[in-house]
Amino acid sequence: MPILDLSPGDQTVTVSGDTPLLEVYAALPAGLFPPFPPVELPGGVGGLVARGGFAQTFFFGAEVLGVTFRAPSGRVIRAGGRTVKNVQGYDLTRPFVGSFGRLGEALDVTLRLRPGPHARHVAAPGSLEALGPLSARFAWQDGEDVHLLHFGHAREVERALAVLLGAREVKEPLDLTARFPGGIGVGEGALRDRRFGWVNGGAAPPVPPLFARLAASL
Amino acid sequence: MPILDLSPGDQTVTVSGDTPLLEVYAALPAGLFPPFPPVELPGGVGGLVARGGFAQTFFFGAEVLGVTFRAPSGRVIRAGGRTVKNVQGYDLTRPFVGSFGRLGEALDVTLRLRPGPHARHVAAPGSLEALGPLSARFAWQDGEDVHLLHFGHAREVERALAVLLGAREVKEPLDLTARFPGGIGVGEGALRDRRFGWVNGGAAPPVPPLFARLAASL
């Protein structure tokens, strides 16, 4: 079972690291959203967390409440927790988020869910850079098109998407995995968000020496 | 200057680690709040972050966007960033939050600010445990009294505080430093939040061996 725990009351979901992103969407009740858009990418939730997310305009690390991972040493490390409240300190979650595999592999991940009575995904030819500051929760460029996705109250959704003129509705989840047969890594390519370009292959940003020491310590 | 940077637009503030908590309150424009109540405790913002916060009912780690700290080795480490968006990965902020000094001393801290047109702080005799789930952003027990503090829209503030029957208004910031001449640490005492009891002296929760290895690696 890739969905290990779903708590709409606590607004959290715990899934195995290999859970496809669209399976998380399929498992959630209406009106609750994970911290990623409905776009399938290689590596499932564990891969997404290791890359530090995709397309978010908010701070992704805050949405990852806990992670159990196998460190390069083989040790299994349980970091953070399953609820927002029970984190006591000595927390290794955040270095795992965006560690591009250098701290090992995610076995399970607990994500925060956010409520939104309305959601809308639109796309239109344009430039992500030229759009300036955005209130949409997700924004990415795919070739000539900019995609924006937001959830929340109806008026807030309209406001967040109004910056993209002449946009068409995107009604279905997207599956982009076929474009990344060798996995997904950073580099210059057609798919870009505000952090990185995303290309075929597993390239990671350069690892700071300090982080390499941390990885070796776990 | 203890306030190093204040950006109401980005809703962030960067302060030196030794900045007193009430100096942060004094520096903020009306309607913006830091992730702690207006209660002075020993150690300033750096100490608060090292202890993982005080009295919050939300996930404190998410509100600390960046920290520069001096590791036990003497190395100065810059973790996270000054904006919500620019965190790229390989981030050592979260293990510092709640590390009770084991990763060293905070030189500067960047905190997320949250907006709220109304704020109210009340207290009444009662039991924090007996109150059950709370929507107030801050809740603590001090002797026989429970304190609740919330900011937000007027109706939301009223709802969050209505659970505390017969409450009196607390109009002024509190200074509790005189009760902790030897610093503040965890233990059983008159002052408690939902994570810990807070007592005079610097006692920390037991350090997991993994975390001790991490500290030695930095």
Side-chain angles (χ1 to χ4, degrees), chain B:
Chain B
M1 275 295 291
I3 307 289
L4 304 170
D5 184 79
L6 169 61
S7 173
D10 286 340
Q11 302 191 347
T12 64
V13 67
T14 301
V15 303
S16 66
D18 58 3
T19 306
L21 303 175
L22 296 182
E23 280 197 24
V24 179
Y25 263 90
L28 296 182
L32 272 185
F33 294 86
F36 51 83
V39 176
E40 195 64 62
L41 295 169
V45 173
L48 182 87
V49 168
R51 297 188 302 271
F54 171 70
Q56 71 276 351
T57 59
F58 51 86
F59 175 36
F60 184 78
E63 312 298 298
V64 182
L65 300 178
V67 61
T68 304
F69 60 99
R70 192 185 305 281
S73 66
R75 224 175 254 121
V76 171
I77 295 171
R78 186 166 201 77
R82 284 204 184 186
T83 76
V84 175
K85 290 172 196 164
N86 75 356
V87 177
Q88 299 285 318
Y90 306 127
D91 185 359
L92 289 167
T93 306
R94 194 142 145 196
F96 186 86
V97 177
S99 64
F100 283 88
R102 293 314 174 271
L103 298 193
E105 181 202 4
L107 303 178
D108 67 58
V109 174
T110 300
L111 298 172
R112 182 165 187 171
L113 303 172
R114 301 263 180 186
H118 295 269
R120 202 176 149 211
H121 175 182
V122 298
S127 153
L128 188 57
E129 287 71 33
L131 279 180
L134 290 170
S135 62
R137 284 185 71 78
F138 303 100
W140 68 97
Q141 180 101 38
D142 190 0
E144 302 295 304
D145 280 347
V146 170
H147 288 251
L148 296 183
L149 193 149
H150 195 68
F151 57 83
H153 293 285
R155 240 184 315 178
E156 193 196 322
V157 171
E158 292 322 299
R159 254 200 309 268
L161 303 189
V163 294
L164 198 60
L165 301 173
R168 65 185 188 274
E169 305 295 321
V170 182
K171 299 277 192 189
E172 298 294 328
L174 304 175
D175 186 347
L176 305 185
T177 49
R179 285 155 63 176
F180 304 97
I184 181 168
V186 302
E188 288 307 309
L191 189 68
R192 301 198 310 278
D193 60 25
R194 289 224 153 150
R195 295 164 63 230
F196 294 115
W198 297 105
V199 296
N200 186 37
V207 182
L210 185 68
F211 204 83
R213 279 203 303 277
L214 162 63
S217 79
L218 296 185

Side-chain angles (χ1 to χ4, degrees), chain A residues 1-204:
Chain A
M1 274 295 291
I3 307 290
L4 305 170
D5 185 77
L6 170 62
S7 173
D10 286 340
Q11 302 191 347
T12 65
V13 66
T14 301
V15 304
S16 65
D18 57 4
T19 306
L21 303 175
L22 296 182
E23 280 196 25
V24 178
Y25 263 89
L28 296 182
L32 272 185
F33 294 86
F36 52 83
V39 176
E40 195 65 60
L41 295 168
V45 172
L48 181 88
V49 168
R51 296 188 302 271
F54 171 70
Q56 70 277 351
T57 60
F58 51 87
F59 175 36
F60 184 80
E63 312 298 298
V64 182
L65 300 177
V67 60
T68 304
F69 60 99
R70 191 184 306 279
S73 66
R75 225 176 252 120
V76 171
I77 295 171
R78 188 166 198 79
R82 285 204 185 187
T83 75
V84 174
K85 290 172 195 163
N86 74 357
V87 177
Q88 299 286 314
Y90 307 125
D91 184 359
L92 290 168
T93 306
R94 194 142 147 196
F96 186 85
V97 178
S99 64
F100 283 88
R102 294 311 174 273
L103 298 192
E105 181 201 5
L107 303 177
D108 67 57
V109 174
T110 300
L111 298 172
R112 182 165 186 173
L113 303 173
R114 300 265 179 186
H118 295 270
R120 201 175 150 211
H121 176 183
V122 298
S127 153
L128 189 56
E129 287 71 31
L131 279 180
L134 291 169
S135 62
R137 283 183 71 78
F138 303 100
W140 69 97
Q141 179 101 39
D142 190 0
E144 302 296 304
D145 281 347
V146 170
H147 288 250
L148 295 183
L149 194 150
H150 195 68
F151 57 82
H153 292 287
R155 241 184 314 179
E156 193 195 321
V157 171
E158 293 320 300
R159 254 199 310 269
L161 304 190
V163 293
L164 198 59
L165 300 173
R168 64 184 189 275
E169 305 295 321
V170 182
K171 298 278 191 190
E172 298 294 327
L174 304 175
D175 186 346
L176 304 184
T177 49
R179 286 155 62 175
F180 304 97
I184 181 168
V186 302
E188 289 308 309
L191 189 68
R192 301 198 310 277
D193 60 25
R194 290 226 153 147
R195 294 164 63 231
F196 295 115
W198 297 105
V199 296
N200 185 38

